[in-house]
Structure formats: C-alpha cells, structure tokens
C-alpha cells in the first residue's frame, strides 16, 4: 500500500524499482502474495467477529434482523470467495489483462464498502427501535457509528486511489 501511495504521488520512480535481481523479484512477489492473503482473511475475520457480536447483543427474534444478518453473512463470504478466486487467477497468471482486473478490483471494493455500510446500519436500526430515551439512543448509535464511519472513509479513499493509479 505504501508503494502505491509513493508511486501515485510521484515520490517513488518505478524505473528505480524495476532494476532488481531475480531473487529480489521473487521475494517481493512472495511478500505481496502473503500480504494479499493476510489482508483477505483479516478483513473477513474482523467483519465476521462484528457480525457475530451483533448476533450476541441483539436478539434474533425479529424476522427482518435475522434476514439482514444472514444476508450480510452471505455477502461477506461471497466477498471472501471472490477475492480468493481473483487472487488465485492472478497468481496462476490466468487473469485476463483487458479490463477484467479493474472490474474485479472495483467489484470487490464495492462489495466490501457495501458490507461495511450494512455493518454500520444494522445496529443503528436495532437501537432506534429500542425503548430508550432519545439521548441514550443517540449516544448508542454514535458509539457504534464512530468506527464504522472511519472504515467507510478508508474504503472509499482506497478504492479511489486504486482507480486513480490504474488510470496513469
């Protein structure tokens, strides 16, 4: 990620990086692959832990909450599967070069952002339906929203950065 930032802002010249031995290239590729797999499973683990935390806090008695919970679980697992398939195609060298890579990155980025938004909205709706004073409701929704808003901002800025660097 830091390499993308340095390259996109012109701090790092790709010509300097391209002068590497074969051993250095293999190391960089294996490090990149390891980080990609770690990223996929870290994001999935965090989202699943938040989702199961919601299941523990809020009752599953309400039908709409149950449907939303299962929908969100499915969305997270589909995102994970799509990322693993795209990564496997990339490692195998079978990823089509014409537009597919950009489409895959954009699609997984959009699904990732959508699941983040749904993870933020789900507790807000449940809290708004609780029999609490308005101050308490606002305080609880704010607590759940602080971390979620940061994650959504990071998602959109990362997606914008990826699309910006692909255009150059």
């Amino acid at each position: 990620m830091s390499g993308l930032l340095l390259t996109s802002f012109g701090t790092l010249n790709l010509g300097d990086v391209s002068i590497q031995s074969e051993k250095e290239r293999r190391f960089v590729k294996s490090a990149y692959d390891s980080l990609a797999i770690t990223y996929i499973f870290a994001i999935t683990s965090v989202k699943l832990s938040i989702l199961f935390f919601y299941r523990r806090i809020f009752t599953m008695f309400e039908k709409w909450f149950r449907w939303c919970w299962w929908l969100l679980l499915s969305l997270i697992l589909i995102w994970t599967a799509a990322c693993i398939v795209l990564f496997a195609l990339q490692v195998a060298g079978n990823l089509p070069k014409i537009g597919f890579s950009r489409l895959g990155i954009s699609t997984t980025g959009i699904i990732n952002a959508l699941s983040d938004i749904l993870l933020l909205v789900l507790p807000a709706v449940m809290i708004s339906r609780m029999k609490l004073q308005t101050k308490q409701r606002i305080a609880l929704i704010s607590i759940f929203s602080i971390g979620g808003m940061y994650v959504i901002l990071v998602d959109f800025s990362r997606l914008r950065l990826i699309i910006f660097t692909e255009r150059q």
Side-chain angles (χ1 to χ4, degrees), residues 98-112:
I98 305 172
F100 184 77
S101 176
R102 184 173 180 181
L103 176 67
I105 289 172
S106 299
T107 304
T108 56
I110 290 168
I111 292 173
N112 189 20

Side-chain angles (χ1 to χ4, degrees), residues 79-161:
W79 177 84
T80 305
C83 286
I84 291 171
V85 167
L86 286 172
F87 177 73
L89 287 172
Q90 180 181 353
V91 168
N94 296 333
L95 193 63
K97 302 290 186 225
I98 305 172
F100 184 77
S101 176
R102 184 173 180 181
L103 176 67
I105 289 172
S106 299
T107 304
T108 56
I110 290 168
I111 292 173
N112 189 20
L114 180 65
S115 65
D116 286 343
I117 291 169
L118 290 175
L119 274 172
L120 177 65
V121 170
L122 193 61
V125 173
M126 281 298 287
I127 291 170
S128 69
R129 293 181 176 203
M130 289 179 159
K131 295 178 183 176
L132 297 171
Q133 293 178 359
T134 306
K135 286 182 181 180
Q136 291 174 329
R137 258 190 249 139
I138 291 171
L140 281 174
I141 290 172
S142 299
I143 288 171
F144 278 101
S145 300
I146 289 171
M149 294 304 273
Y150 175 75
V151 169
I152 290 170
L153 289 174
V154 168
D155 279 343
F156 284 119
S157 64
R158 185 171 41 105
L159 190 60
R160 194 184 85 209
L161 178 68

Side-chain angles (χ1 to χ4, degrees), residues 5-155:
L5 290 171
L6 291 172
T7 305
S8 65
F9 291 112
T11 308
L12 181 65
N13 184 3
L14 287 178
D16 297 339
V17 177
S18 64
I19 305 171
Q20 295 177 340
S21 68
E22 186 59 34
K23 186 176 179 182
E24 289 171 331
R25 274 193 207 112
R26 280 192 313 242
F27 173 76
V28 169
K29 183 175 178 350
S30 64
Y32 171 79
D33 292 347
S34 301
L35 287 173
I37 288 291
T38 303
Y39 171 78
I40 292 168
F41 286 110
I43 293 294
T44 302
S45 299
V46 168
K47 288 185 181 193
L48 288 177
S49 67
I50 291 170
L51 194 60
F52 280 100
F53 176 66
Y54 290 166
R55 184 180 176 142
R56 176 87 170 125
I57 290 177
F58 304 112
T59 61
M60 295 290 280
F61 296 129
E62 295 195 37
K63 189 175 184 177
W64 71 268
F65 182 78
R66 237 185 353 261
W67 277 97
C68 290
W69 191 89
W70 283 105
L71 174 76
L72 197 49
L73 178 67
S74 302
L75 192 64
I76 292 168
L77 294 177
I78 287 169
W79 177 84
T80 305
C83 286
I84 291 171
V85 167
L86 286 172
F87 177 73
L89 287 172
Q90 180 181 353
V91 168
N94 296 333
L95 193 63
K97 302 290 186 225
I98 305 172
F100 184 77
S101 176
R102 184 173 180 181
L103 176 67
I105 289 172
S106 299
T107 304
T108 56
I110 290 168
I111 292 173
N112 189 20
L114 180 65
S115 65
D116 286 343
I117 291 169
L118 290 175
L119 274 172
L120 177 65
V121 170
L122 193 61
V125 173
M126 281 298 287
I127 291 170
S128 69
R129 293 181 176 203
M130 289 179 159
K131 295 178 183 176
L132 297 171
Q133 293 178 359
T134 306
K135 286 182 181 180
Q136 291 174 329
R137 258 190 249 139
I138 291 171
L140 281 174
I141 290 172
S142 299
I143 288 171
F144 278 101
S145 300
I146 289 171
M149 294 304 273
Y150 175 75
V151 169
I152 290 170
L153 289 174
V154 168
D155 279 343

